[in-house]
Amino acid sequence: MSVPCVVVPREEGESTRRTLADLGVLDEAHDITVEDGRLYIPVSEPRAVPGEFDVVSHDAPERDRQTLPGEILGWEPSYERLGDIAILDEDDPGRAREAARAIAESSLPVGTVVNRASPVEGELRVRQWDVLYGEETETVHREYGCAFALDIAEVYFSPRLATERHRVVEQVEAGERFFDMFAGVGPFVIPAARRGAEAVGVDLNGVAVEYLRENAERNGVADRVTAIEGDVRRVEGYDGWAERLVMNLPHSADEFLDTAVDLAGESCT
Ligand code: SAM
């Protein structure tokens, strides 16, 4: 089967594999192949591979040693992965427990399995979780080449928004003044700064702001990121500053339009 692969001379194979693993773009479901002294390393997110590498389409055998949860259960559980946490969306507690056991027994690199125990709630938009396997709710999640440390019990984060975040951030230009009014742990701020923007992120949740600062360091953009804890309506010094604004607070962003207009520069997206 043809899949996207980074192609490198054999002697650069291990260092390239490690770089791609650190970026979180390795395709673990396919094996690396060697042909004519060159290594073909399967990647899951070709668009997130740094420009210095060549990406080609190449035949790669599927790994057959993985045991997936569905094979253990005989039915497909619904879950998503956030770092080494598997997040279930099961209404039936019995099915949730069975799915958690199967995920833990499978080949997936998962240390914790949780089930949603509430909707996202309150001003901080944090959810309650039933922890069904393991105990650690802090993890490091990788997305389009960025790494985000976060604790799902303390902050909002949704891996489902990855494609939409990427679509927005791809429009950011180097040198641009980028303002995220509800920044969380930085999934817009960090990639915007990596594209060369001067990025400011505000959040009411002090724990999220601590992670935002840690993530700026972790991704090598601390010099271009300002993280501010507090209510964005009370932030001073940025009137007319922003050339691009993000306001991802679906349940009540409309209440913050006046603030957005104050923050926006003459030309602002
Ligand atoms: N942008 C982040 C993301 O995509 O993961 C977080 C989005 S989350 C839906 C909304 C965030 O807004 C939460 O982290 C919450 O703490 C923060 N928030 C809510 N009200 C706020 C306010 N008045 N000022 C600043 N942040 C606020």
Side-chain angles (χ1 to χ4, degrees):
M1 180 188 182
S2 257
V3 296
C5 293
V6 165
V7 55
V8 285
R10 196 177 190 149
E11 52 281 10
E12 291 171 23
E14 183 46 27
S15 61
T16 306
R17 194 199 63 76
R18 251 188 272 128
T19 303
L20 297 172
D22 286 346
L23 291 170
V25 299
L26 272 187
D27 170 0
E28 316 257 10
H30 293 90
D31 274 328
I32 296 172
T33 48
V34 191
E35 214 174 282
D36 297 333
R38 300 200 302 169
L39 228 59
Y40 292 82
I41 307 174
V43 286
S44 55
E45 288 177 24
R47 286 199 296 173
V49 171
E52 71 210 69
F53 296 115
D54 287 334
V55 181
V56 297
S57 188
H58 193 266
D59 276 346
E62 273 184 46
R63 285 198 179 158
D64 55 8
R65 53 184 175 278
Q66 292 232 338
T67 311
L68 294 172
E71 293 156 15
I72 297 170
L73 286 167
W75 50 273
E76 266 321 313
S78 163
Y79 64 92
E80 55 193 333
R81 299 262 303 278
L82 181 63
D84 67 349
I85 300 176
I87 298 176
L88 291 165
D89 191 5
E90 272 295 344
D91 291 334
D92 177 332
R95 267 172 72 96
R97 275 194 303 276
E98 266 185 65
R101 182 185 48 79
I103 290 171
E105 283 173 11
S106 75
S107 316
L108 297 176
V110 165
T112 304
V113 185
V114 298
N115 194 21
R116 291 181 169 85
S118 79
V120 286
E121 307 171 307
E123 276 191 306
L124 305 188
R125 313 311 293 149
V126 179
R127 202 187 279 280
Q128 318 255 347
W129 304 98
D130 282 333
V131 180
L132 300 172
Y133 171 76
E135 51 190 40
E136 189 55 77
T137 50
E138 185 182 51
T139 191
V140 177
H141 176 68
R142 292 176 200 280
E143 177 176 300
Y144 286 97
C146 295
F148 300 105
L150 64 120
D151 186 333
I152 57 168
E154 302 280 350
V155 301
Y156 173 92
F157 193 92
S158 170
R160 286 186 194 171
L161 299 179
T163 312
E164 173 61 2
R165 284 195 276 261
H166 187 60
R167 186 189 70 77
V168 170
V169 168
E170 261 190 327
Q171 299 166 42
V172 171
E173 286 170 16
E176 191 174 286
R177 293 197 298 269
F178 179 94
F179 197 106
D180 189 342
M181 294 170 62
F182 311 107
V185 303
F188 288 101
V189 167
I190 303 296
R194 274 174 51 118
R195 288 179 67 85
E198 193 185 331
V200 175
V202 181
D203 206 289
L204 207 50
N205 182 344
V207 179
V209 173
E210 274 173 40
Y211 278 118
L212 171 54
R213 292 200 180 107
E214 177 183 338
N215 290 330
E217 293 281 351
R218 188 179 277 275
N219 291 278
V221 290
D223 56 334
R224 287 199 295 283
V225 169
T226 304
I228 301 172
E229 177 184 344
D231 186 330
V232 67
R233 288 170 290 209
R234 300 208 163 74
V235 169
E236 291 177 355
Y238 287 95
D239 274 9
W241 184 85
E243 292 171 307
R244 192 176 301 274
L245 266 173
V246 171
M247 46 193 315
N248 174 25
L249 185 65
H251 76 308
S252 62
D254 55 333
E255 292 167 20
F256 293 79
L257 272 177
D258 288 348
T259 305
V261 170
D262 289 344
L263 292 166
E266 256 177 45
S267 167
C268 181
T269 303

